[in-house]
Structure formats: structure tokens, C-alpha cells
Amino acid sequence: MPTSVYFNNQGATREQFLVEDLIIESIRNHGIDVYYLPRSSQSSLDELFGDDPVKSYNSAYKIDMYLETFNDFEGNQEFFSKFGLEIQKAAKVAVARRTFERLVSPNIRLLPKEGDLIYLPVQDKLMEIKFVEEEKNFFQLGKKAPYMYGLSIEAFRYNGELINTGMSEIDKIGDNNAFSVEYTLEAGGSGTYDHMEIVYQGASLNAATAKGYVAAWDQPSRKMRVRNAKGIFNAGEAVIGYSTGASWNIESGNTQEDATDLFDDNVRIETEADNILDFTEANPFGEP
């Protein structure tokens, strides 16, 4: 027997809007404010491994979401594996479809996407979207477009991504985790470098022998931290700011010292290795 012709449970547009309004109101009343960071790419997508070698996050959108995992993080938490200490903190959040479309530009995203980030201000954490559930309401009242999206998120593992949203509390997470080298610059330079400005050595940026991003610059002490560097910055040569035109010569700096990690062993390992192998030889392992 077919369903009753007197009850329309799969095509009532007004009831669909009512359900959607109730969901949006519930999230607004009981949810939390987070920041959504869409991923952009600085390189072509690796079709073989399905990854973007050079990810960047250049914008942040404030949006209300409902935190479904409210008691504690899910996942294996902190544990030791054969690869050392691993932290796998997971959670689930929900965002109304109409709210997402209203607050995030359609030129950026039509819906949440795996690989994008969510910043939780209270926990001061970046979480990465691992899965987007688009059928969370299972077509209630016959509506094909979802009322809301369910997002499975995990603690973000920084791997050299560029985070430059313009919000200091978010951008500092990238600066504090990226490998960076601190250089002392010679007196007598000109100009002031901007945060995340591209700096380079050479005749131009296209012909640069070395380039990177300014993670920090303190003019009184003439200390500058450079991250995501390509090439080697040489002492005695000018470091030029691409947008500001600032120009200071490098006095000293050690490319093996990670300025953001006080416990790295790069220099100690190199010193011990020099006692075993003479790397000034063309082939320190013997003649071929």
C-alpha cells in the first residue's frame, strides 16, 4: 500500500525550513565560536598520493559550530608507538549548512572540505578536518540538501604549512612550530621587515640565491627569524624585503640551529659526526 495522500512527509517546503531554522537556532544557542581556515595550495596537487606538498592557510572565518564531543577528546590521546610519542586527539563538531554558506564566501568553499582547519579559541588548538558527513540528517522531510554537516576533526600536526591569516593568535601556532633560523644583522641597514614578508638574497626574487619568510623581526637587537627558507643566506650579503624594500646585511647565523626548539641536537650531532667522518673530502666513504 502507498503512503497516505493526505499527509505530505517528503515535500513540505515550509516544514523543511522550520527544521533548518531550529537547527541553526540550536547551534547558535548551544554552540561555540570557532574559526574556519580553508586550505589553499602553492603547488599542484599530487594525484598519486592525494596530497598537497605546500599547503597554506591565508584566511580565517568566524563561525558558530556545535561541539558534539563535549566531555573529552576522542581517539588514542597520547601514546608511545614504534615511531615515538604520538598524539591522536579527535572530536566531532556540526555546522549548519546555511550558516556555512552565509559566513564563508562561495568563491572559497561551497561546503567544508577535508584538509581545512578549525581553530578552537578556548583550547588554543588547531584541528584538521578528516571527514565531512553530508548526510547527517538523512534527508528528513525529503530535503536533499543537508541541514548541517558533521565534521570529524583531529589535532593538527604541523608539517611546514604556511599559516598567515592576519590573526596573531592563529598565526603564532605556525611560527612556533616551523623550523626557523635566527640571524643577527649588521648595523646600518634600512627599513623594517613585515611579519611573513618574503625576504631574499640576490639580484631579484626570481634570481634569488636564498629566500624565505620573516617569522619575527626585532630592530633594536637586529635579530630576525626566517622560516621556510630555500637556499642558504650568506653572511655579509643583504637580505631584502620583497614588499617593504628593507635591506640589512647578515652578520651571523647558524642554519643548523632551530630558533623555535631549544632542545634540538642538530649542532651536537654534526659535531660528533665530524669526529668520525671528514665531510670535506669528495667521497668520505672511500674511493668508488
Side-chain angles (χ1 to χ4, degrees):
M1 294 290 293
T3 57
S4 174
V5 296
Y6 298 104
F7 296 92
N8 183 4
N9 295 320
Q10 295 293 310
T13 305
R14 292 184 178 180
E15 291 190 14
Q16 292 174 358
F17 277 115
L18 174 61
V19 171
E20 192 167 28
D21 289 339
L22 291 174
I23 291 175
I24 293 174
E25 183 179 5
S26 297
I27 295 178
R28 187 170 298 172
N29 292 339
H30 303 285
I32 59 174
D33 287 327
V34 303
Y35 288 91
Y36 181 82
L37 282 66
R39 183 186 72 179
S40 57
S41 174
Q42 291 192 330
S43 60
S44 59
L45 180 69
D46 189 329
E47 299 290 348
L48 180 61
F49 295 101
D51 193 18
D52 177 11
V54 187
K55 306 180 186 71
S56 60
Y57 301 89
N58 302 317
S59 57
Y61 297 88
K62 190 175 183 179
I63 188 170
D64 51 299
M65 295 187 182
Y66 179 73
L67 187 61
E68 297 183 12
T69 308
F70 59 88
N71 189 37
D72 194 5
F73 284 106
E74 298 177 348
N76 294 322
Q77 305 288 335
E78 300 87 356
F79 68 98
F80 278 97
S81 69
K82 61 182 179 180
F83 302 107
L85 176 64
E86 292 194 23
I87 301 176
Q88 296 182 358
K89 292 187 175 183
K92 292 183 179 180
V93 296
V95 58
R97 177 188 60 84
R98 207 165 71 198
T99 300
F100 185 88
E101 292 177 350
R102 177 171 57 88
L103 297 178
V104 179
S105 171
N107 296 327
I108 302 297
R109 286 285 186 273
L110 296 177
L111 71 162
K113 190 175 182 180
E114 290 84 354
D116 293 345
L117 301 183
I118 292 176
Y119 175 68
L120 306 177
V122 175
Q123 293 86 356
D124 193 26
K125 287 184 179 295
L126 278 175
M127 308 292 288
E128 182 178 1
I129 299 176
K130 291 296 186 180
F131 180 71
V132 179
E133 176 58 67
E134 300 183 38
E135 300 177 349
K136 191 171 180 61
N137 300 101
F138 203 69
F139 311 104
Q140 290 182 10
L141 301 176
K143 185 176 176 63
K144 294 182 179 180
Y147 294 107
M148 62 179 176
Y149 301 110
L151 310 179
S152 298
I153 57 179
E154 286 186 5
F156 177 58
R157 301 175 185 176
Y158 183 81
N159 191 29
E161 293 84 356
L162 294 174
I163 303 176
N164 188 26
T165 64
M167 300 186 61
S168 58
E169 62 268 32
I170 299 178
D171 297 343
K172 68 179 176 63
I173 297 177
D175 290 337
N176 293 338
N177 286 276
F179 180 90
S180 60
V181 178
E182 184 176 83
Y183 294 97
T184 300
L185 306 183
E186 297 178 357
S190 62
T192 300
Y193 301 104
D194 288 339
H195 176 254
M196 289 303 291
E197 178 183 12
I198 298 176
V199 291
Y200 65 93
Q201 282 186 338
S204 65
L205 182 61
N206 293 331
T209 57
K211 55 186 175 181
Y213 292 85
V214 177
W217 161 240
D218 182 59
Q219 187 165 340
S221 64
R222 306 194 311 278
K223 301 285 187 181
M224 180 175 66
R225 283 197 294 115
V226 178
R227 53 173 289 193
N228 296 84
K230 295 182 179 180
I232 298 177
F233 286 88
N234 297 316
E237 297 183 18
V239 179
I240 303 172
Y242 179 67
S243 57
T244 62
S247 178
W248 296 71
N249 286 2
I250 290 182
E251 182 178 290
S252 62
N254 191 336
T255 57
Q256 292 182 337
E257 288 278 7
D258 185 356
T260 59
D261 187 354
L262 301 178
F263 302 100
D264 69 312
D265 296 319
N266 296 342
V267 176
R268 186 162 63 90
I269 292 174
E270 177 67 22
T271 302
E272 294 295 332
D274 288 340
N275 295 328
I276 301 172
L277 297 174
D278 182 6
F279 285 97
T280 61
E281 296 182 6
N283 185 3
F285 300 99
E287 296 299 328

